[in-house]
């Protein structure tokens, strides 16, 4: 069990929450999931909620023996490592480790059923870049340790135009390894901008794939009280590139450009 809320804040105990830590498969495999540690304490929580860079977030809720909701803080856990273990010990344990670069993004709550006075920055939008390493360096064959592979993915999080205090709007862009910037449009959230593949767990890159999304047009719009208008939009990709680093030096680039018919109406 994991502490869900920040224990001791508002002088309240923790709220425990079950999380998947082990899966036993029918074929005799055990899948073990390991999570990040807690990032906040009762005496150390975010103070500037619009620029929260911690793995805990604010929520208004009605606590026991209270009538009105009050501000509280809850933990956010992310997966650090997944191990796939062969219980028959015929195959070595498969290890996948995750490294989250930078700080997490927290978006203003745009759920309409929440009263305006109780909305805050509690929507988790993830990390901008995530490294994934596969390989069990603790396993050896003929005294040679297994090597790891490394991929690094850059994501859109949909943070541009987020609601800010005093009726402001947050500007947000995403930058790739070529130093190119694209607006972090809300419709692009969870979309991969770039995926880099490295030569083992090293700084030597083998290739990178960059895909630039675009908004093709709006198909419907609905006004909302105390929130930006809710808009349905079609999205696509304007260009995709695969850049390969050559052993002799330099790079080879393959580019695909996408064209779309104009929207009817």
């Amino acid at each position: 069990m994991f502490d869900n809320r920040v224990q001791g804040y508002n002088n309240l105990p923790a709220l425990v929450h079950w999380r998947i830590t082990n899966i036993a498969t029918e074929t005799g495999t055990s899948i073990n999931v390991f999570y990040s540690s807690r990032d906040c304490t009762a005496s150390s929580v975010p103070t500037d909620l619009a620029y929260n860079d911690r793995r805990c977030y604010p929520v208004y809720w009605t606590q026991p023996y209270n009538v009105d909701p009050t501000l509280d803080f809850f933990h956010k856990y992310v997966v650090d490592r997944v191990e796939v273990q062969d219980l028959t010990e015929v195959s070595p344990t498969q290890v996948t480790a995750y490294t989250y670069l930078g700080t997490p993004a927290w978006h203003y709550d745009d759920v309409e059923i929440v009263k305006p006075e109780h909305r805050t920055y509690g929507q988790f939008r993830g990390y901008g870049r995530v490294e994934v390493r596969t390989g069990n360096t603790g396993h050896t064959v003929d005294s040679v340790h297994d090597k790891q592979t490394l991929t690094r993915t850059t994501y859109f999080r949909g943070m541009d135009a987020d609601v800010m205090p005093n009726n402001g709007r947050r500007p947000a862009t995403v930058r790739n390894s070529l130093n190119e910037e694209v607006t972090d449009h809300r419709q692009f959230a969870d979309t991969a901008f770039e995926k880099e593949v490295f030569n083992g767990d090293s700084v030597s890159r083998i290739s990178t794939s960059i895909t630039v999304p675009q908004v093709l047009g709006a198909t419907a719009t609905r006004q909302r009280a105390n929130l930006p208008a809710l808009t349905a939009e079609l999205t696509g990709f304007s260009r995709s590139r695969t850049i390969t680093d050559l052993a002799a030096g330099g790079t080879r680039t393959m580019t695909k450009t996408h064209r779309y018919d104009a929207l009817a109406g």
Side-chain angles (χ1 to χ4, degrees):
M1 293 188 293
F2 290 76
D3 292 343
N4 197 23
R5 68 177 302 279
V6 177
Q7 183 176 3
Y9 190 81
N10 290 332
N11 296 317
L12 288 176
L15 294 176
V16 296
H17 182 76
W18 288 102
R19 296 181 184 275
I20 293 177
T21 57
N22 176 264
I23 302 171
T25 72
E26 296 178 349
T27 57
T29 298
S30 178
I31 303 174
N32 304 301
V33 184
F34 301 86
Y35 295 90
S36 61
S37 59
R38 294 184 292 271
D39 193 28
C40 299
T41 65
S43 60
S44 178
V45 295
T47 55
D48 190 348
L49 302 182
Y51 294 96
N52 181 13
D53 60 359
R54 308 278 294 278
R55 281 198 311 273
C56 64
Y57 58 97
V59 174
Y60 280 93
W61 70 295
T62 304
Q63 300 168 9
Y65 310 109
N66 285 265
V67 176
D68 298 320
T70 55
L71 184 68
D72 203 357
F73 285 88
F74 289 76
H75 295 292
K76 174 64 182 179
Y77 296 95
V78 294
V79 175
D80 277 347
R81 190 173 75 258
V82 176
E83 296 183 356
V84 181
Q85 182 181 11
D86 180 7
L87 297 182
T88 64
E89 298 184 355
V90 174
S91 300
T93 299
Q94 302 174 27
V95 179
T96 303
Y98 302 89
T99 302
Y100 304 89
L101 306 180
T103 59
W106 296 98
H107 193 279
Y108 188 74
D109 191 351
D110 58 3
V111 178
E112 295 178 63
I113 62 173
V114 178
K115 294 181 179 180
E117 62 268 26
H118 297 150
R119 293 181 185 135
T120 185
Y121 296 87
Q123 288 187 359
F124 182 63
R125 293 298 180 92
Y127 286 79
R129 293 192 301 164
V130 180
E131 292 183 342
V132 180
R133 290 172 172 83
T134 60
N136 183 2
T137 57
H139 179 257
T140 61
V141 176
D142 295 332
S143 300
V144 177
H145 290 271
D146 289 354
K147 293 185 178 181
Q148 287 184 315
T149 64
L150 169 62
T151 60
R152 180 188 299 144
T153 304
T154 300
Y155 292 97
F156 290 97
R157 296 183 285 182
M159 292 298 292
D160 188 67
D162 185 21
V163 174
M164 297 294 286
N166 302 317
N167 297 317
R169 290 290 183 268
R170 187 196 312 268
T173 59
V174 181
R175 188 187 302 270
N176 62 26
S177 64
L178 302 181
N179 210 32
E180 300 168 338
E181 283 188 331
V182 175
T183 299
D184 192 15
H185 194 280
R186 67 181 185 86
Q187 294 286 11
F188 302 161
D190 300 327
T191 300
F193 183 22
E194 179 177 20
K195 184 174 182 179
E196 301 172 88
V197 179
F198 293 85
N199 183 14
D201 185 11
S202 72
V203 297
S204 177
R205 194 176 67 182
I206 297 175
S207 65
T208 184
S209 300
I210 301 173
T211 304
V212 180
Q214 65 174 330
V215 176
L216 301 178
T219 58
T221 300
R222 177 171 63 81
Q223 298 299 320
R224 300 186 293 179
N226 302 301
L227 284 172
L230 183 64
T231 304
E233 294 170 301
L234 291 176
T235 60
F237 299 100
S238 63
R239 182 173 60 162
S240 57
R241 284 168 291 169
T242 300
I243 303 172
T244 304
D245 295 80
L246 303 177
T251 60
R252 181 181 65 241
T253 302
M254 297 179 61
T255 302
K256 181 185 294 184
T257 301
H258 304 264
R259 301 264 192 265
Y260 299 90
D261 294 334
L263 292 175

